[in-house]
Amino acid sequence: MEARGVTCRFGDKVAVHKASVRLFPGQIHALVGENGAGKSTLLKAMAGAVVPTEGEVWIRGQRLDPATPAEAIRRGVGMVYQHFALVPSFTGMENLMLGVEPVGLLGWLRPSVTRARAEEIAAMTRLRVHLDVPAASLSVGEQQRLEILRVLVRGASLLLLDEPTAVLTPGEAQGLYELLRRIAKQGAAVAVVTHHLEDVSRYADQVTVLRGGEQVFQGAVSEVTTAELSLRALGEIPAVKRPTAVGGEAPELLVVVGLQAEGLDVKELRVRRGEMVGIAGVDGNGQEALVEALAGLRPARGSQRLGGCELAGAPPSARRAAGLEVVHGDRHRFALLAGATIHDNLVLGDLGPDEEAKVVRRMAVSGLIPADPSLQAGTLSGGNQQKLVMARALDRAPRMLVAAYPTRGIDAAAAAQIQQRLVAAAEGGAGVLLISGDWSELRTIAHRLLVMRKGRVVAELPPDVREQELGRVMLEGS
Amino acid sequence: MSGQLTTFVAEAIRMAVPYMACGLGAVLTERSGVVNIGLEGALGVSALCAAVGAIATGSGLVGLGAGVSGGAFYCLLHGVLVVRARVDAMVSGIALTMAAYGGGRVALRLLYGSASNSPKVPGLPGLESTSAVLRVVSEPALLVFGVAAGMLVLVLERTRLGLRLRASGDNEAAAEAAGVEVGATRLWASVLSGVACGLGGVHMVFDQRQYDAGMTGGRGFLALAAAILGRHRPGATLLACGGFAALEAAQIAWQDSLKLAPELVRLLPFVATMGLLMRGRSGMALARGRLWR
Amino acid sequence: MSEAVSRPSLPPGVRRGVWSVVVVLLLFDGLAFLAGEAPRVALLKALEGTWGTMYGLGQVIYKATPLLLTGLGFRVALRAGLFNIGVEGQLLLGSFAAGVVASRLPSSTPWPLGVLMSLGAAGVGGAGLGAVAGAMKVKFGAHEVIVTLLLNRIVEALVPYVLRRGVGVTGYRSGDAISGALLPRLEQLSEVFRGSAASLATVLALVVCLLVLRWERSSVTGREFGWVGLGAGVCEAQGIPGGRRLWQAMALSGGRAGLGASATVLGYKGYYELGLGAGAGFGGIAVAMLGQGSAVGLVGAALLLGTLQQAGLVLNASLPREAMDVLTAAVLVAASAGRGRR
């Protein structure tokens, strides 16, 4: 398979510019780059899910035409998306069949045909998935294996995976790469989008580096070191320093005791003034519940005191009045009205007589470009949306800031700016609770790490803990 | 069996058909991601078409065909408006119900010169029997509906179309990624739902041997509620429909011995549904699919 | 919308209006043809009976008034993201309440007071029904569409029952309103409207329309309604009471729909009778969808549908007036094409 000079434009934004990639059977090819570098777009173009503005995709010496997912699937391309494309209520079997149903008379389904094929593949690749329960009840890793099994059942010999390890722990990621290696050995070509540069050196054969849509490097993995890759992919990023350490005499600000809610059971959680506490854990282990409970959006039992003021049962507005500000991870669900203007979003929740002044001030702090508050917030990039939300939260001068995944899905420069804001807030005397899926972020700026698993805080670790150790605790508890 | 009990059983079975037809129609269309609050109109349109077809030709079979086609066309029109013309599903549903109601009156005036009802409709012959229950059960339109309902449920749960239909409603993006043409699937679902409702309309007309403008009486709306209470599962939805029919039948069977005014008794299913909706967040089931969040 | 950008000749609202009128004319011709009338003759007759005479124009204005109010009612809920199909039932209950209160007030009640009390009853009646639906949504998560459909049926059955049980003078109407509760007809102000049913209610509706639109744009609560419609969860998380705004929007919606009684009960008949104003609720949905957020658009849409209704009466001898329901439905669909939620 080959992509020749692929350029993808969305409006006047160039996502990928003249990229060329060749995939060979038996090899794993890594596409790396920071968020927004265009690696996912390039992958989608190869799967027919995005039509390139210029350039062509060739499969086994023939041009992909028409450039549609259906045609790509027919030619043996199998794409595993970042957000799994499974129907949650369907069983594994139903998901395997969907779109390529083996049928008898009058469209009658014959699951046994698909099952036989699935078992054959499972035997060859040692890929095991429970096929008779709804996909929604599978763990994230199992869902991913189901997706891979699905593309294989469809006869894919070109396997494209978009950020497959983003949702996995290090151990699971290793298992995934071993599986991909076995699949490649059966004669498939595999392409993986990732931003874990260590994984590239460890598991891939070929690597393509994208930066701002430009292809800046391509070659065998053996030719480059991880450090070189990093420089090429990310460039120089200003280092963010941890806030100054707080002593034991700093007064406790947030004291949570016996917090219980749906999916949450936290015995104790304390944050001091000026302290940055990190929450680590595999996604979906109660972080969401913790943030929602602290925000007053999820009914919870137990005590939540902020500077001596009991917040249990208080609505979001009362919590804000007490000095608590929450920056939610799911922007579109909790933080931003995509259909309203930037102006309205900047004053959402504290609309008052000083509206104009607030908008001007927050606009300046956010550093949004273009600086036009009458634009719809939905037209902003993810990074700019996050800057807007952050500027609004910090302008309210909170005593305690809870930030959930504040840098998720945004580019490295914007992420560094947001991390800098968090550090500045802590140095200004606020307590910060940082929930993040980015371990290096947590290890860089938090004073201490709390590990969450199945809704509980299972361990407290120092920020300089080894990555493997952190991963082990996240999976096993202690 | 006592007279009242016999009446109750016979009436319950009779009344169940329009409810179940629309309930099944609601399940089929909503599971595909197209909410149709105009099933009341589908019932009315198919009843009218059945009456017109049967009167014009004198043949019950033609009436049956016309009724089912009318219902299918009505629901397909809704599907096309929602899927292709991107009209809000709620707007289209309410507009088509209005049009069906107005159109029914217009047709009655123009065709039969009457403001409210049609002449006698030749139906299909059932069994002549002294037993009311047997007479009701042997009504050919009911038998046709019974067979069709079974087949539609099988289509939904055991065939390719059904699988794709459920996928389209449950996770549109996933269905598209798997190569399912979601729009076309939804149009097929609309047609199936129209066929189901159509059989309900045909039954009402054949059973009463005439069409009148108000004969649907809100049953299509209640069937929507039944689908919500049944969480859009065919079995549970049909059961809820049966419950509504039983309420209605009880009111007919025991109306003399009841002290309540008939208007209030007729409200029972509506009030009961309101009560049931208070039970939990079941109402949100109507929100499935991306067309109506 | 992208087309509107490349062809800047007409704003989308105007194009939608023109498009709706075209659809109406085509369908009208078709229906007239089916009814055995020459389309041109029927159209001329309809135009003469509506905009051709001052009397006809008065009738159009009379018909348009409740439509404008129900349209405003539907709109406030829609802005908050709710689809209030209950405007029909809310108008009915409001009209009934106005009829009963206007007839039961002591006959010595002075003029503006009687009107205000009757209007208040209409508003409270509609708002109460809307609030029930809103509470069902917020408290139990029951979808407002299904709840309002059920409430419509319940009110439609209850009102005749209550009338029959002695609240009305006969089984189908309330007592006559006292003179202090009546809104004067326009014909009392100007000779040109002689015989028509238009009343001061129209002026009231216009004032309400302008005030409401202004309030939506400039007040904190009014703006918050719109935000809740864009994302109730976001608002809740940002400290705006989303749930409370939702049921308030439903109550306001019902209240405005209920005010539609001003034109029919207080401005024209002087009593409530079964069926008075029926259909104006569903028509209001079309007015809101067609008129969008501008006063001109809403009034224009109400006049268009009012014209249709009056034309239906004019032509009733040859073309059944229910044919206009079909036309209203067509306008509704034409006005909403391409705007479905994604």
Side-chain angles (χ1 to χ4, degrees):
Chain A
M1 177 174 199
E2 186 179 3
R4 289 188 193 160
V6 168
T7 299
C8 296
R9 266 193 209 100
F10 301 107
D12 49 3
K13 193 183 153 208
V14 181
V16 178
H17 186 240
K18 294 203 170 143
S20 298
V21 178
R22 301 180 74 180
L23 307 182
F24 298 99
Q27 289 197 338
I28 296 178
H29 192 123
L31 292 167
V32 298
E34 61 179 346
N35 281 304
K39 50 194 197 299
S40 291
T41 309
L42 178 58
L43 203 69
K44 281 180 189 151
M46 284 159 57
V50 166
V51 182
T53 325
E54 280 167 42
E56 301 173 337
V57 175
W58 289 65
I59 297 169
R60 293 197 191 84
Q62 283 189 311
R63 204 160 82 89
L64 181 66
D65 183 48
T68 62
E71 180 63 16
I73 290 169
R74 209 179 62 73
R75 304 270 198 96
V77 176
M79 172 106 177
V80 177
Y81 289 91
Q82 193 171 2
H83 304 284
F84 301 140
L86 294 172
V87 179
S89 68
F90 276 19
T91 63
M93 271 308 294
E94 284 175 317
N95 270 302
L96 287 186
M97 286 192 288
L98 184 65
V100 288
E101 304 86 349
V103 290
L105 199 62
L106 296 174
W108 194 259
L109 289 173
R110 295 169 58 209
S112 56
V113 177
T114 304
R115 188 180 296 275
R117 176 102 184 95
E119 278 168 5
E120 190 187 324
I121 291 168
M124 277 197 307
T125 57
R126 279 183 280 147
L127 175 58
R128 294 266 160 229
V129 192
H130 201 346
L131 290 180
D132 296 308
V133 296
S137 68
L138 297 175
S139 76
V140 176
E142 280 175 306
Q143 289 186 23
Q144 189 172 59
R145 288 198 288 280
L146 178 58
E147 280 268 16
I148 294 172
L149 180 59
R150 177 158 80 161
V151 298
L152 293 178
V153 164
R154 287 166 165 237
S157 55
L158 291 157
L159 206 54
L160 312 179
L161 298 99
D162 193 3
E163 296 272 9
T165 58
V167 290
L168 304 180
T169 62
E172 286 180 306
Q174 188 180 347
L176 172 70
Y177 279 112
E178 282 163 7
L179 172 65
L180 292 178
R181 178 58 68 192
R182 286 196 294 275
I183 293 170
K185 282 216 176 100
Q186 306 277 342
V190 179
V192 178
V193 161
T194 182
H195 59 260
H196 287 302
L197 299 173
E198 302 83 9
D199 289 355
V200 175
S201 324
R202 221 172 285 163
Y203 306 112
D205 305 307
Q206 298 281 324
V207 61
T208 297
V209 181
L210 291 171
R211 194 169 163 195
E214 301 282 346
Q215 186 173 325
V216 294
F217 176 78
Q218 188 163 57
V221 167
S222 50
E223 292 168 20
V224 284
T225 63
T226 308
E228 281 170 353
L229 276 182
S230 166
L231 192 65
R232 286 180 199 273
L234 307 174
E236 303 279 357
I237 302 174
V240 181
K241 281 209 203 93
R242 202 186 317 271
T244 38
V246 287
E249 72 281 0
E252 281 183 338
L253 193 61
L254 180 73
V255 180
V256 173
V257 179
L259 187 66
Q260 286 184 325
E262 202 190 318
L264 186 70
D265 183 8
V266 171
K267 295 238 158 38
E268 204 187 59
L269 177 68
R270 292 165 192 272
V271 180
R272 294 174 184 279
R273 284 190 48 139
E275 190 180 29
M276 171 98 69
V277 177
I279 300 268
V282 177
D283 266 14
N285 270 284
Q287 296 96 322
E288 203 177 311
L290 174 65
V291 175
E292 284 176 25
L294 289 177
L297 295 173
R298 184 181 290 225
R301 281 190 305 266
S303 158
Q304 312 161 41
R305 299 179 76 82
L306 178 64
C309 170
E310 181 57 68
L311 294 180
S317 48
R319 287 165 196 256
R320 174 171 307 148
L324 174 71
E325 192 62 44
V326 179
V327 173
H328 287 273
D330 191 339
R331 274 195 298 273
H332 293 285
R333 217 170 127 214
F334 291 123
L336 193 89
L337 294 174
T341 60
I342 294 174
H343 177 112
D344 284 359
N345 271 294
L346 282 171
V347 292
L348 200 62
D350 55 357
L351 193 54
D354 55 344
E355 181 180 346
E356 290 306 324
K358 267 184 192 157
V359 169
V360 170
R361 200 169 61 228
R362 292 174 184 180
M363 203 66 197
V365 171
S366 70
L368 279 187
I369 302 166
D372 178 3
S374 69
L375 289 177
Q376 285 226 324
T379 63
L380 296 174
S381 71
N384 275 332
Q385 291 182 355
Q386 191 65 17
K387 285 181 191 168
L388 188 165
V389 171
M390 210 67 192
R392 181 180 66 201
L394 289 174
D395 188 62
R396 289 166 179 163
R399 287 201 288 166
M400 176 70 213
L401 181 70
V402 177
Y405 306 102
T407 60
R408 184 166 61 188
I410 64 180
D411 64 82
Q417 191 196 340
I418 283 167
Q419 287 162 358
Q420 198 57 60
R421 294 264 159 78
L422 293 175
V423 169
E427 284 185 332
V432 180
L433 188 64
L434 172 64
I435 296 96
S436 176
D438 181 347
W439 309 358
S440 63
E441 168 176 283
L442 286 174
R443 280 151 37 109
T444 313
I445 60 175
H447 288 124
R448 55 195 173 97
L449 301 180
L450 302 177
V451 180
M452 279 191 82
R453 183 166 171 271
K454 293 189 177 166
R456 298 163 184 269
V457 173
V458 290
E460 181 176 334
L461 299 171
D464 54 0
V465 62
R466 274 180 42 242
E467 196 169 277
Q468 292 298 321
E469 171 67 7
L470 180 58
R472 194 189 60 74
V473 174
M474 280 162 59
L475 269 189
E476 293 163 19
S478 56
Chain B
M1 269 198 283
S2 78
Q4 279 176 340
L5 194 60
T6 314
T7 315
F8 169 71
V9 173
E11 288 294 319
I13 296 173
R14 213 161 61 85
M15 299 286 178
V17 177
Y19 281 118
M20 289 187 172
C22 286
L24 193 56
V27 169
L28 287 166
T29 185
E30 289 180 24
R31 284 294 284 273
S32 82
V34 178
V35 175
N36 187 352
I37 57 168
L39 295 179
E40 172 85 3
L43 206 56
V45 164
S46 54
L48 174 70
C49 289
V52 171
I55 291 170
T57 62
S59 152
L61 274 179
V62 173
L64 177 75
V68 171
S69 316
F73 174 78
Y74 173 96
C75 287
L76 178 63
L77 180 60
H78 174 74
V80 168
L81 287 176
V82 172
V83 175
R84 299 278 185 243
R86 298 225 358 260
V87 175
D88 186 288
M90 295 295 155
V91 173
S92 170
I94 203 74
L96 287 181
T97 313
M98 266 169 79
Y101 179 77
R105 295 262 178 178
V106 171
L108 280 177
R109 278 268 301 269
L110 296 183
L111 291 172
Y112 309 121
S114 153
S116 64
N117 54 275
S118 75
K120 192 168 165 6
V121 175
L124 291 164
L127 272 185
E128 293 297 327
S129 165
T130 48
S131 154
V133 176
L134 214 56
R135 275 204 308 276
V136 166
V137 172
S138 70
E139 162 62 47
L142 183 144
L143 297 175
V144 172
F145 170 73
V147 173
M151 280 167 55
L152 286 171
V153 172
L154 285 178
V155 165
L156 181 67
E157 307 209 316
R158 288 274 189 276
T159 68
R160 172 164 57 193
L161 177 58
L163 188 76
R164 294 183 168 196
L165 188 159
R166 287 181 282 138
S168 303
D170 201 354
N171 186 340
E172 183 181 0
E176 258 166 15
V180 174
E181 280 189 51
V182 171
T185 306
R186 286 182 171 157
L187 294 185
W188 277 111
S190 301
V191 170
L192 290 184
S193 122
V195 168
C197 297
L199 286 167
V202 170
H203 177 265
M204 278 202 302
V205 164
F206 283 9
D207 177 65
Q208 295 179 16
R209 291 288 191 252
Q210 79 163 13
Y211 166 82
D212 86 72
M215 78 190 306
T216 52
R219 294 191 182 88
F221 295 135
L222 278 175
L224 287 177
I228 287 172
L229 297 176
R231 297 185 183 263
H232 295 86
R233 283 194 278 269
T237 302
L238 291 177
L239 198 67
C241 289
F244 286 141
L247 268 179
E248 211 177 312
Q251 160 216 331
I252 292 169
W254 287 286
Q255 60 186 354
D256 298 335
S257 38
L258 277 173
K259 296 276 181 291
L260 281 168
E263 288 105 326
L264 297 189
V265 180
R266 219 164 294 143
L267 280 180
L268 269 180
F270 295 94
V271 176
T273 311
M274 287 284 282
L276 287 173
L277 285 175
M278 285 189 198
R279 260 184 342 155
R281 302 211 145 251
S282 52
M284 282 304 179
L286 189 63
R288 85 175 38 241
R290 80 165 185 177
L291 295 169
W292 181 256
R293 271 176 293 126
Chain C
M1 286 299 122
S2 59
E3 277 174 67
V5 176
S6 59
R7 277 185 298 153
S9 48
L10 285 173
V14 175
R15 284 200 306 156
R16 191 162 289 129
V18 172
W19 171 226
S20 304
V21 172
V22 169
V23 168
V24 165
L25 287 178
L26 285 177
L27 258 180
F28 180 87
D29 283 356
L31 283 168
F33 180 76
L34 281 180
E37 278 252 359
R40 244 172 71 87
V41 177
L43 187 59
L44 283 177
K45 213 198 274 180
L47 275 179
E48 198 194 325
T50 52
W51 293 75
T53 62
M54 283 316 277
Y55 168 77
L57 188 60
Q59 288 298 117
V60 168
I61 292 174
Y62 159 66
K63 302 268 184 198
T65 304
L67 285 168
L68 179 59
L69 286 163
T70 52
L72 280 171
F74 183 77
R75 190 186 130 71
V76 64
L78 190 68
R79 266 190 91 228
L82 298 168
F83 204 90
N84 180 14
I85 290 187
V87 277
E88 182 79 21
Q90 289 146 8
L91 172 63
L92 195 163
L93 192 59
S95 305
F96 168 75
V100 171
V101 169
S103 61
R104 296 287 172 103
L105 284 172
S107 56
S108 57
T109 314
W111 177 68
L113 189 64
V115 170
L116 286 178
M117 290 180 74
S118 309
L119 275 181
V124 168
L129 201 57
V132 169
M136 288 284 290
K137 167 109 186 170
V138 175
K139 234 177 148 38
F140 305 110
H143 202 288
E144 76 276 6
V145 166
I146 206 77
V147 171
T148 50
L149 278 174
L150 295 174
L151 285 174
N152 279 350
R153 304 293 302 193
I154 290 175
V155 175
E156 271 166 29
L158 268 185
V159 164
Y161 171 75
V162 177
L163 279 178
R164 220 161 36 84
R165 295 298 294 252
V167 171
V169 284
T170 68
Y172 60 89
R173 59 163 281 190
S174 71
D176 287 319
I178 59 158
S179 60
L182 289 176
L183 281 164
R185 301 261 193 98
L186 289 185
E187 63 181 356
Q188 288 163 301
L189 304 174
S190 162
E191 268 298 297
V192 293
F193 286 109
R194 175 173 295 280
S196 100
S199 66
L200 264 191
T202 305
V203 180
L204 177 91
L206 287 173
V207 170
V208 168
C209 176
L210 290 173
L211 286 180
V212 159
L213 291 177
R214 203 185 135 76
W215 175 82
E216 279 179 2
R217 269 193 273 276
S218 53
S219 78
V220 172
T221 314
R223 287 169 68 187
E224 284 179 355
F225 275 141
W227 292 344
V228 167
L230 292 171
V234 172
C235 290
E236 197 72 53
Q238 295 307 315
I240 295 167
R244 197 187 314 158
R245 292 285 175 268
L246 283 182
W247 74 255
Q248 283 172 341
M250 280 304 271
L252 261 181
S253 180
R256 288 178 197 169
L259 286 185
S262 58
T264 50
V265 176
L266 306 180
Y268 177 49
K269 289 278 185 182
Y271 52 85
Y272 172 74
E273 65 177 342
L274 290 184
L276 186 61
F282 293 130
I285 301 177
V287 168
M289 297 306 275
L290 193 57
Q292 291 289 290
S294 81
V296 175
L298 287 167
V299 171
L303 283 175
L304 174 66
L305 293 196
T307 308
L308 279 183
Q309 286 194 2
Q310 177 58 17
L313 285 183
V314 172
L315 296 175
N316 197 24
S318 52
L319 184 62
R321 70 190 150 87
E322 285 88 2
M324 297 305 146
D325 289 348
V326 181
L327 288 190
T328 305
V331 172
L332 181 46
V333 168
S336 341
R339 310 223 319 263
R341 307 161 182 238
R342 275 179 307 114

